[in-house]
Amino acid sequence: MKELYRNHQYSKVDFSNIRMTTAGMGSGNVTYFLSIPFKEVENNCDAYTSFDHVGGWNHKPALQSRKSELRKLLLPDGELDISELKTTKEGLQEYWIQWKHREVQRECFFGKE
């Protein structure tokens, strides 16, 4: 995401179209598939340059704890953009999280330099 941004290809993760599958769970031969699509945005300050997740198998992800950890990476006015809970039929549960990197997108917080 940072590289796209530096190349003036402003984008963000398209949360609604993230696809996860975990075929074969329990068989000893799991095929994990993950598709994370991006969508372009026009303005550099509408883009996101950092991305993470929190989740696990057959238990609710520790979202509040992860949010607390990630808030340390934000500037005071920064916000985390968090997906709806994504699940697979085999029990994987994930929240996907994106935010504006405080150094890469500095101009979005402090004005043009």
Short mmCIF file of all heavy atoms in Angstrom, two decimals, residues 20 23 28 38 40 56 60 70 78 83 94 106:
data_model
loop_
_atom_site.label_atom_id
_atom_site.label_comp_id
_atom_site.label_asym_id
_atom_site.label_seq_id
_atom_site.Cartn_x
_atom_site.Cartn_y
_atom_site.Cartn_z
N MET A 20 -12.08 -15.14 1.73
CA MET A 20 -11.26 -16.09 2.49
C MET A 20 -11.92 -17.45 2.40
O MET A 20 -13.13 -17.56 2.55
CB MET A 20 -11.22 -15.73 3.99
CG MET A 20 -10.78 -14.36 4.34
SD MET A 20 -10.66 -14.06 6.15
CE MET A 20 -12.03 -14.91 6.87
N ALA A 23 -10.59 -24.40 2.85
CA ALA A 23 -11.07 -25.73 2.44
C ALA A 23 -10.19 -26.82 3.04
O ALA A 23 -8.97 -26.72 3.06
CB ALA A 23 -11.08 -25.83 0.92
N GLY A 28 -6.39 -32.36 7.86
CA GLY A 28 -4.94 -32.43 7.89
C GLY A 28 -4.30 -31.84 6.65
O GLY A 28 -3.09 -31.79 6.52
N PHE A 38 -8.04 -4.19 -3.98
CA PHE A 38 -7.91 -2.76 -3.74
C PHE A 38 -8.86 -2.01 -4.65
O PHE A 38 -9.22 -2.50 -5.72
CB PHE A 38 -6.48 -2.30 -4.04
CG PHE A 38 -5.45 -2.86 -3.12
CD1 PHE A 38 -4.82 -4.05 -3.40
CD2 PHE A 38 -5.10 -2.18 -1.96
CE1 PHE A 38 -3.86 -4.57 -2.55
CE2 PHE A 38 -4.15 -2.70 -1.10
CZ PHE A 38 -3.53 -3.89 -1.40
N GLU A 40 -9.22 2.03 -6.25
CA GLU A 40 -8.56 3.31 -6.39
C GLU A 40 -9.40 4.42 -5.79
O GLU A 40 -10.63 4.36 -5.80
CB GLU A 40 -8.31 3.63 -7.87
CG GLU A 40 -7.24 2.79 -8.49
CD GLU A 40 -6.95 3.21 -9.92
OE1 GLU A 40 -6.97 4.43 -10.21
OE2 GLU A 40 -6.70 2.31 -10.73
N GLY A 56 -8.78 -15.47 14.38
CA GLY A 56 -8.41 -16.78 14.88
C GLY A 56 -9.44 -17.82 14.48
O GLY A 56 -10.43 -17.53 13.84
N LYS A 60 -13.96 -15.67 18.91
CA LYS A 60 -14.12 -14.28 18.51
C LYS A 60 -12.75 -13.58 18.57
O LYS A 60 -12.02 -13.70 19.55
CB LYS A 60 -15.10 -13.58 19.45
CG LYS A 60 -15.45 -12.20 19.03
CD LYS A 60 -16.56 -11.62 19.87
CE LYS A 60 -16.85 -10.21 19.37
NZ LYS A 60 -18.01 -9.66 19.98
N LEU A 70 -2.89 -0.84 17.84
CA LEU A 70 -2.72 -0.07 16.61
C LEU A 70 -2.90 1.43 16.82
O LEU A 70 -2.31 2.22 16.08
CB LEU A 70 -3.69 -0.57 15.54
CG LEU A 70 -3.42 -1.98 15.03
CD1 LEU A 70 -4.52 -2.42 14.07
CD2 LEU A 70 -2.05 -2.08 14.38
N GLY A 78 -6.06 10.53 13.79
CA GLY A 78 -6.15 9.35 12.93
C GLY A 78 -7.19 8.37 13.42
O GLY A 78 -7.51 8.30 14.60
N SER A 83 -13.08 -3.60 8.97
CA SER A 83 -14.09 -4.34 8.21
C SER A 83 -15.13 -4.97 9.12
O SER A 83 -14.94 -5.07 10.33
CB SER A 83 -13.41 -5.46 7.40
OG SER A 83 -13.00 -6.51 8.25
N GLU A 94 -11.94 -13.23 10.99
CA GLU A 94 -10.96 -12.15 10.86
C GLU A 94 -11.65 -10.80 10.73
O GLU A 94 -12.67 -10.68 10.05
CB GLU A 94 -10.09 -12.35 9.60
CG GLU A 94 -9.22 -13.56 9.60
CD GLU A 94 -7.94 -13.41 10.41
OE1 GLU A 94 -7.64 -12.29 10.88
OE2 GLU A 94 -7.25 -14.41 10.57
N ARG A 106 2.00 12.05 5.83
CA ARG A 106 2.21 13.20 6.69
C ARG A 106 1.46 14.44 6.23
O ARG A 106 0.89 15.17 7.03
CB ARG A 106 3.72 13.46 6.79
CG ARG A 106 4.10 14.56 7.72
CD ARG A 106 5.63 14.67 7.78
NE ARG A 106 6.04 15.78 8.61
CZ ARG A 106 6.12 15.74 9.92
NH1 ARG A 106 5.83 14.64 10.57
NH2 ARG A 106 6.50 16.80 10.60
#
